[in-house]
Amino acid sequence: MNKTSPRYKIGFMVYWLLFAVLTVYLGQFPGYVQHPETAPYPWLAVILVCLFLAILLAAFYFLLLPPLFRFSWWRLPASLALGAALLAASLFTFVTDMPGYYYVPHYFSFFTGLFLLVVSVSSIVGFIWRKTRAP
């Protein structure tokens, strides 16, 4: 069995941690309520959003395993399709004046889609480069 690099695992954990910290920070903004200073902090909702992001990131992790990623061409299109589906779902469910933590999955899907686009373009350019430089 191929082992993944510890840096790869740490990178995914740091990526999740950034969005978890953003969720905890945005949890203090209750959205459109008459007296926002009296709204309690939504601990359960913040934890559920962090858990949801961890599940989504686990799906991306298993799609983009580095030892297998280089040898199977279906993994990148599958992750791109998942990223596009997440972005479309977040755009269709986007509503204004919601609590701050509500927007974190939208940010996650946007930045993940952007990252996957960069990885896709660099993979294609690298493939073309290797093919043109091969003897």
Side-chain angles (χ1 to χ4, degrees):
M1 179 171 180
N2 294 329
K3 293 196 176 201
T4 58
S5 167
R7 290 182 299 173
Y8 190 74
K9 292 177 182 179
I10 290 171
F12 269 85
M13 285 187 241
V14 167
Y15 191 67
W16 175 81
L17 189 62
L18 288 172
F19 285 101
V21 168
L22 181 65
T23 305
V24 169
Y25 172 72
L26 292 177
Q28 68 182 330
F29 303 107
Y32 185 70
V33 292
Q34 192 166 11
H35 297 287
E37 62 277 355
T38 61
Y41 189 82
W43 286 106
L44 181 61
V46 166
I47 291 171
L48 289 176
V49 168
C50 290
L51 181 64
F52 177 64
L53 294 177
I55 291 169
L56 290 177
L57 207 56
F60 281 112
Y61 178 79
F62 288 114
L63 276 175
L64 298 173
L65 286 173
L68 303 174
F69 177 71
R70 294 184 182 133
F71 303 112
S72 60
W73 285 96
W74 67 269
R75 290 180 178 271
L76 187 57
S79 62
L80 277 170
L82 179 59
L86 286 175
L87 189 58
S90 68
L91 288 175
F92 286 129
T93 60
F94 191 83
V95 197
T96 59
D97 297 333
M98 295 299 288
Y101 62 84
Y102 182 84
Y103 301 108
V104 176
H106 175 73
Y107 300 146
F108 174 82
S109 63
F110 176 76
F111 286 111
T112 302
L114 189 65
F115 175 73
L116 288 172
L117 215 58
V118 168
V119 168
S120 298
V121 169
S122 66
S123 295
I124 292 169
V125 167
F127 176 76
I128 293 171
W129 178 264
R130 283 189 302 274
K131 287 295 182 184
T132 58
R133 304 287 289 172

